[in-house]
Amino acid sequence: MDAVTCIKTRRSVRKFKEEPVSRDTIKDIVETASYSPSWKNTQVVRYIYVDDKAIIDKIAQEGLMDFALNIKTVSRAAQLMIITKKDGISGFERDGSYSTGKGDNWEMFDAGIATQTFCLAAWDKGVGTVILGVFDDKKVGEIVGVPEGQTVAAIVALGYPAFEPDMPPRKSVEELLTYK
């Protein structure tokens, strides 16, 4: 699929078929996502693949801050990708000081780029995804055993879509673009 088609047809998918995505396909998706740009090419994003139903259920029960839609989505997902970021690197100088006035926000910026690239790479292979943002990063990190020095940046539920969601309305270019 060409890039524009991939971008324009990718949707947030919250209901998946029972058929699991193979680990080879997951590896291909992560390999493609590894080409995401990052602050000074620091490549701080890491991926933790979860297909153990007990862990998924524990995340749904304890890690989603009682947010009903995410609990429902995660509970019925057979697979999750936990996106983490190595702390204190992206947006920092070697001495630990911030490189810009944005402070440590570059970490999440890099994680966001990598997460969207992961989702587009997945869609290119017919795998649906939804990026979940409402969760307790410390609790989810404990549940999946995130290494020290890393923080959970996003949870992505994934699988083959049970149906193709409709495209939500988009803002016009005139609303989005300003010329100066």
Side-chain angles (χ1 to χ4, degrees), residues 99-124:
S99 298
T100 73
K102 297 208 178 346
D104 64 358
N105 291 326
W106 280 106
E107 293 179 333
M108 286 302 289
F109 191 82
D110 282 358
I113 294 169
T115 301
Q116 178 65 357
T117 303
F118 175 89
C119 292
L120 290 170
W123 185 236
D124 183 58

Short mmCIF file of all heavy atoms in Angstrom, two decimals, residues 99-124:
data_model
loop_
_atom_site.label_atom_id
_atom_site.label_comp_id
_atom_site.label_asym_id
_atom_site.label_seq_id
_atom_site.Cartn_x
_atom_site.Cartn_y
_atom_site.Cartn_z
N SER A 99 17.92 20.44 26.41
CA SER A 99 18.46 21.03 25.20
C SER A 99 17.65 22.23 24.73
O SER A 99 18.18 23.11 24.06
CB SER A 99 18.50 19.99 24.07
OG SER A 99 19.34 18.92 24.42
N THR A 100 16.35 22.24 25.05
CA THR A 100 15.46 23.33 24.62
C THR A 100 14.52 23.68 25.76
O THR A 100 14.47 23.00 26.78
CB THR A 100 14.60 22.91 23.40
OG1 THR A 100 13.59 21.99 23.82
CG2 THR A 100 15.43 22.31 22.29
N GLY A 101 13.72 24.71 25.54
CA GLY A 101 12.73 25.10 26.51
C GLY A 101 11.59 24.09 26.65
O GLY A 101 10.75 24.21 27.54
N LYS A 102 11.56 23.09 25.82
CA LYS A 102 10.52 22.06 25.89
C LYS A 102 10.82 21.02 26.98
O LYS A 102 10.03 20.11 27.20
CB LYS A 102 10.36 21.38 24.54
CG LYS A 102 9.90 22.36 23.48
CD LYS A 102 9.13 21.68 22.41
CE LYS A 102 8.58 22.58 21.33
NZ LYS A 102 8.54 23.98 21.50
N GLY A 103 11.96 21.14 27.63
CA GLY A 103 12.29 20.23 28.73
C GLY A 103 12.30 18.79 28.28
O GLY A 103 12.86 18.45 27.23
N ASP A 104 11.64 17.92 29.06
CA ASP A 104 11.63 16.49 28.74
C ASP A 104 10.48 16.11 27.79
O ASP A 104 10.27 14.93 27.53
CB ASP A 104 11.59 15.64 30.01
CG ASP A 104 10.31 15.83 30.81
OD1 ASP A 104 9.45 16.65 30.42
OD2 ASP A 104 10.17 15.16 31.84
N ASN A 105 9.77 17.09 27.25
CA ASN A 105 8.65 16.77 26.34
C ASN A 105 9.09 16.08 25.06
O ASN A 105 8.28 15.43 24.40
CB ASN A 105 7.85 18.03 26.00
CG ASN A 105 7.10 18.56 27.19
OD1 ASN A 105 6.64 17.79 28.04
ND2 ASN A 105 6.97 19.87 27.29
N TRP A 106 10.37 16.22 24.70
CA TRP A 106 10.83 15.54 23.49
C TRP A 106 10.73 14.03 23.62
O TRP A 106 10.57 13.32 22.62
CB TRP A 106 12.27 15.95 23.15
CG TRP A 106 12.32 17.27 22.46
CD1 TRP A 106 12.72 18.46 23.00
CD2 TRP A 106 11.89 17.56 21.13
NE1 TRP A 106 12.59 19.47 22.08
CE2 TRP A 106 12.08 18.94 20.91
CE3 TRP A 106 11.37 16.80 20.09
CZ2 TRP A 106 11.77 19.57 19.71
CZ3 TRP A 106 11.07 17.42 18.89
CH2 TRP A 106 11.27 18.79 18.71
N GLU A 107 10.81 13.50 24.83
CA GLU A 107 10.67 12.05 25.03
C GLU A 107 9.33 11.57 24.50
O GLU A 107 9.25 10.59 23.76
CB GLU A 107 10.82 11.69 26.50
CG GLU A 107 12.20 11.93 27.05
CD GLU A 107 12.33 11.60 28.52
OE1 GLU A 107 11.33 11.65 29.27
OE2 GLU A 107 13.46 11.26 28.93
N MET A 108 8.26 12.26 24.89
CA MET A 108 6.93 11.86 24.44
C MET A 108 6.73 12.16 22.96
O MET A 108 6.02 11.44 22.27
CB MET A 108 5.84 12.53 25.29
CG MET A 108 5.72 11.92 26.67
SD MET A 108 5.35 10.14 26.67
CE MET A 108 3.66 10.14 26.10
N PHE A 109 7.36 13.21 22.48
CA PHE A 109 7.30 13.52 21.05
C PHE A 109 7.87 12.36 20.25
O PHE A 109 7.25 11.86 19.31
CB PHE A 109 8.06 14.82 20.78
CG PHE A 109 7.86 15.38 19.40
CD1 PHE A 109 6.75 16.13 19.10
CD2 PHE A 109 8.80 15.15 18.41
CE1 PHE A 109 6.56 16.66 17.83
CE2 PHE A 109 8.62 15.66 17.14
CZ PHE A 109 7.49 16.42 16.84
N ASP A 110 9.07 11.90 20.64
CA ASP A 110 9.69 10.76 19.96
C ASP A 110 8.83 9.50 20.09
O ASP A 110 8.68 8.75 19.12
CB ASP A 110 11.08 10.49 20.52
CG ASP A 110 12.14 11.44 19.98
OD1 ASP A 110 11.81 12.30 19.15
OD2 ASP A 110 13.29 11.32 20.41
N ALA A 111 8.28 9.28 21.28
CA ALA A 111 7.42 8.10 21.47
C ALA A 111 6.17 8.19 20.59
O ALA A 111 5.71 7.19 20.04
CB ALA A 111 7.04 7.97 22.94
N GLY A 112 5.63 9.40 20.45
CA GLY A 112 4.45 9.58 19.60
C GLY A 112 4.74 9.30 18.14
O GLY A 112 3.96 8.65 17.44
N ILE A 113 5.88 9.79 17.66
CA ILE A 113 6.27 9.52 16.27
C ILE A 113 6.41 8.01 16.06
O ILE A 113 5.90 7.45 15.09
CB ILE A 113 7.60 10.22 15.92
CG1 ILE A 113 7.45 11.74 15.94
CG2 ILE A 113 8.11 9.76 14.56
CD1 ILE A 113 8.79 12.48 15.87
N ALA A 114 7.10 7.35 16.97
CA ALA A 114 7.33 5.91 16.83
C ALA A 114 6.02 5.13 16.94
O ALA A 114 5.82 4.15 16.21
CB ALA A 114 8.32 5.44 17.89
N THR A 115 5.13 5.56 17.81
CA THR A 115 3.85 4.86 17.98
C THR A 115 3.01 4.98 16.72
O THR A 115 2.44 3.99 16.24
CB THR A 115 3.09 5.40 19.21
OG1 THR A 115 3.91 5.21 20.37
CG2 THR A 115 1.78 4.68 19.41
N GLN A 116 2.92 6.17 16.15
CA GLN A 116 2.16 6.33 14.92
C GLN A 116 2.81 5.56 13.77
O GLN A 116 2.12 4.93 12.97
CB GLN A 116 2.00 7.81 14.55
CG GLN A 116 1.25 8.04 13.25
CD GLN A 116 -0.22 7.58 13.27
OE1 GLN A 116 -0.72 7.04 14.25
NE2 GLN A 116 -0.90 7.81 12.18
N THR A 117 4.13 5.56 13.70
CA THR A 117 4.81 4.78 12.66
C THR A 117 4.51 3.30 12.84
O THR A 117 4.25 2.59 11.86
CB THR A 117 6.32 5.05 12.69
OG1 THR A 117 6.55 6.46 12.53
CG2 THR A 117 7.03 4.31 11.58
N PHE A 118 4.51 2.82 14.08
CA PHE A 118 4.15 1.43 14.38
C PHE A 118 2.74 1.14 13.86
O PHE A 118 2.51 0.12 13.20
CB PHE A 118 4.24 1.16 15.89
CG PHE A 118 3.77 -0.20 16.29
CD1 PHE A 118 4.64 -1.27 16.32
CD2 PHE A 118 2.44 -0.42 16.62
CE1 PHE A 118 4.19 -2.55 16.67
CE2 PHE A 118 1.98 -1.69 16.97
CZ PHE A 118 2.87 -2.75 16.99
N CYS A 119 1.79 2.04 14.14
CA CYS A 119 0.40 1.82 13.73
C CYS A 119 0.25 1.83 12.21
O CYS A 119 -0.52 1.04 11.66
CB CYS A 119 -0.51 2.85 14.38
SG CYS A 119 -0.65 2.63 16.18
N LEU A 120 0.97 2.70 11.53
CA LEU A 120 0.91 2.73 10.07
C LEU A 120 1.56 1.48 9.47
O LEU A 120 1.04 0.90 8.51
CB LEU A 120 1.58 4.00 9.53
CG LEU A 120 0.82 5.30 9.81
CD1 LEU A 120 1.69 6.50 9.45
CD2 LEU A 120 -0.51 5.33 9.08
N ALA A 121 2.68 1.04 10.05
CA ALA A 121 3.32 -0.19 9.58
C ALA A 121 2.40 -1.39 9.80
O ALA A 121 2.35 -2.29 8.95
CB ALA A 121 4.66 -0.40 10.30
N ALA A 122 1.69 -1.39 10.91
CA ALA A 122 0.73 -2.47 11.17
C ALA A 122 -0.38 -2.45 10.14
O ALA A 122 -0.74 -3.49 9.57
CB ALA A 122 0.17 -2.33 12.59
N TRP A 123 -0.94 -1.27 9.89
CA TRP A 123 -2.05 -1.16 8.93
C TRP A 123 -1.62 -1.61 7.54
O TRP A 123 -2.39 -2.25 6.81
CB TRP A 123 -2.60 0.26 8.90
CG TRP A 123 -3.80 0.40 8.03
CD1 TRP A 123 -3.96 1.26 6.98
CD2 TRP A 123 -5.02 -0.35 8.11
NE1 TRP A 123 -5.20 1.08 6.41
CE2 TRP A 123 -5.87 0.10 7.08
CE3 TRP A 123 -5.46 -1.37 8.96
CZ2 TRP A 123 -7.14 -0.44 6.88
CZ3 TRP A 123 -6.73 -1.90 8.76
CH2 TRP A 123 -7.55 -1.43 7.73
N ASP A 124 -0.38 -1.33 7.17
CA ASP A 124 0.15 -1.77 5.88
C ASP A 124 0.09 -3.30 5.76
O ASP A 124 0.00 -3.84 4.66
CB ASP A 124 1.59 -1.28 5.71
CG ASP A 124 2.17 -1.64 4.36
OD1 ASP A 124 1.59 -1.24 3.33
OD2 ASP A 124 3.20 -2.35 4.34
#
